[in-house]
Amino acid sequence: METGRGVVLASERYGSAESWKYFAKDAVMERRRDGREGESRGNSVVGVFKSVFLPQGYPESVSDDYLQYQFWDTVQAFSSSLSGTLATQASLKGVGVGNQEATVAAATVTWLLRDGTGMLGRILFAWQKGSKLDSEAKKWRLFADVLNDIAMFMEILAPFFPACFTLIVCTAGIFKSLVGVAGGATRAALTVHQARRDNMADISAKDGSQETLVNLAGLMVSLMLIPLVTDNPMLTISLFFLFTALHLFANYKAVRSVVMETFNEARLSTVLQQYLRDRRVLSPLEANQREPVFFEFRKTVPVKLGVRLQEVVQSLEEFDLALKENNMPYLLGVRNGCVCVCLGPEASVCDELRAMCQALWLSSMLNSPTKQQQSHWEMVHESHKLMDTIFNPFIKGVEAAGWDIKRTLLDWNEWRVEWKTKSN
């Protein structure tokens, strides 16, 4: 194509950030930027900033919620950095920094006890809750930040209770160790969600760069704060509550901005309940906006996935009841106030979704006063009939609405059971 600048030989672009064209004119090849004038990504100040702190290929290489989440994550990291400075100053004062009567040995023992109890807490928490962190990343991320603020508040108060100082800082150390496990694991889970080009390492590295920059800014502000708060406990506590309020608000906005397209129990329950009401399938954005991000303490019937056979049936009669009207590679039953699901080794992701939908419906029916007159096995058989009717159109609607049904974040245990179709 020929223009006033010459013949266009080729064109190139860097994602959606910029595009260039090559022209041939008077036997010379020239390269000119297409569209608005200005410096390229690598030369302008803004371009350099993007290269240093944003993943390669941004915004196409990340999820749509990336920028909003990172903004609020930056705000919370900055406020947390300032709160941490106040807590560290209080801890150092508590172990005797600036006190001529304090001994190095006593301060060292206190610090070692604090670190030791934190290490034990980290191991125990990962053992008990590690498998939950993927399926409920938003809740655990918010929980970690609330617990972190509680731990820092305890460290600030500890010097006012010298007799209990070691106990308080050790407890705060345990809390911070839980924060380290939950915060790090959920950050990794969110990075998996944000990566759109198998670029988890790049996103994680740039997230580290962003956090380092924020911490540097926090350090500069902290240098101005320290002379003001030294020997002024009221100002210390007042500023701590101010930073904590900002920290918690920013964290809430951050997890609320995340829009995951994969199902966990809460999102699947929200979408299924809406579908059962009016046959409308919620989009990922709508379901994520309704997803609870705080742990709930109201009484519900829990669902246990991937259990042993004995948690579903405990007799031949119950085994026959579990197989009745069931041609799926899973078995359902109600035991000890829980809906339990046995999964066969050949079950697909679609089968897992159907089993979870069925279990969620059973759980809601067990909470319903009108259904409590039925036996558990009658409700199980009714759930099979319901799924035979609604599941196929439901799953088609879910896929059309933009949900990723190739994988899930459902909390399946590892038990897999093979059974005969009829008991002898």
Side-chain angles (χ1 to χ4, degrees), residues 40 56 66 119 160 171 188 276 357 380 383 394 402:
S40 68
Q56 180 176 304
Y66 178 84
M119 291 174 190
F160 299 104
T171 304
L276 291 173
C357 288
V380 169
S383 70
F394 171 71

Side-chain angles (χ1 to χ4, degrees), residues 31 37 69 90 149 158 168 171 205 217 229 243 256 260 286-287 323 325 339 368 371 386 403:
R31 179 176 181 260
E37 297 296 327
Y69 173 80
D149 289 333
I168 294 173
T171 304
V229 300
F243 297 146
R256 272 290 176 215
M260 289 188 167
E286 292 173 312
L323 291 173
E325 300 179 15
V339 178
S368 172
K371 288 286 186 179
L386 176 68
W403 289 96

Side-chain angles (χ1 to χ4, degrees), residues 44-63:
S44 68
V45 174
V46 174
V48 171
F49 184 87
K50 288 181 178 180
S51 298
V52 173
F53 294 105
L54 294 176
Q56 180 176 304
Y58 172 86
E60 289 85 2
S61 62
V62 295
S63 58

Side-chain angles (χ1 to χ4, degrees), residues 329-330 343-352 416:
Y330 58 81
L343 193 66
E346 74 280 10
S348 64
V349 175
C350 190
D351 294 328
E352 293 178 4
R416 296 296 180 267

Side-chain angles (χ1 to χ4, degrees), residues 126-144:
W127 169 45
Q128 289 292 319
K129 298 296 182 182
S131 63
K132 303 287 185 183
L133 300 177
D134 280 304
S135 59
E136 297 183 327
K138 294 182 185 180
K139 290 182 179 179
W140 283 110
R141 176 61 194 271
L142 203 54
F143 167 83

Side-chain angles (χ1 to χ4, degrees), residues 160-232:
F160 299 104
F161 303 93
C164 302
F165 179 81
T166 301
L167 176 62
I168 294 173
V169 296
C170 285
T171 304
I174 293 174
F175 287 175
K176 284 196 170 184
S177 71
L178 306 188
V179 171
V181 176
T186 53
R187 183 181 291 273
L190 292 174
T191 301
V192 171
H193 156 69
Q194 291 172 338
R196 288 296 186 260
R197 294 181 180 172
D198 294 325
N199 56 338
M200 281 181 55
D202 185 29
I203 291 176
S204 181
K206 296 301 169 58
D207 185 64
S209 297
Q210 295 168 21
E211 187 168 350
T212 301
L213 180 65
V214 171
N215 288 335
L216 284 172
L219 177 64
M220 299 301 293
V221 176
S222 297
L223 290 174
M224 294 184 287
L225 280 181
I226 288 173
L228 299 176
V229 300
T230 302
D231 299 323
N232 192 338

